[in-house]
Amino acid sequence: MWEKWRGWVLAGAALTVYVIGGLGVMAGLVLIGIVGDRDLWGWGQASSIGYLCFGAGLCLTILGVLVMRIMRNRRIA
């Protein structure tokens, strides 16, 4: 049964990671550009948290694209 759904599950996971990464990048850009130097709930400056979200989102986006390309090249999905 797992063999039948493996491609769909992996494709859904890769797409989910890609979308979450894109949302992280956009949230990071908003925090850096618009919110700026304000304090966010005692966590630190919005720009520093924005750089963290931007970097993590970029890594997740690249990971999602790489997983999708690997699955396509190996005919998994």
Side-chain angles (χ1 to χ4, degrees), residues 25-37 46-55:
V25 167
M26 296 308 292
L29 289 176
V30 167
L31 287 173
I32 293 167
I34 296 174
V35 180
D37 291 335
S47 60
S48 62
I49 296 173
Y51 286 120
L52 177 68
C53 287
F54 182 78

Side-chain angles (χ1 to χ4, degrees), residues 13-69:
L15 188 61
T16 302
V17 168
Y18 178 72
V19 169
I20 290 172
L23 290 174
V25 167
M26 296 308 292
L29 289 176
V30 167
L31 287 173
I32 293 167
I34 296 174
V35 180
D37 291 335
R38 289 189 226 156
D39 186 49
L40 286 181
W41 309 294
W43 291 355
Q45 287 185 341
S47 60
S48 62
I49 296 173
Y51 286 120
L52 177 68
C53 287
F54 182 78
L58 195 61
C59 290
L60 287 175
T61 301
I62 292 170
L63 177 68
V65 169
L66 285 176
V67 170
M68 285 188 269
R69 294 298 301 170

Side-chain angles (χ1 to χ4, degrees), residues 64-77:
V65 169
L66 285 176
V67 170
M68 285 188 269
R69 294 298 301 170
I70 290 170
M71 288 183 352
R72 180 178 173 163
N73 288 338
R74 296 186 182 184
R75 311 249 192 265
I76 295 173

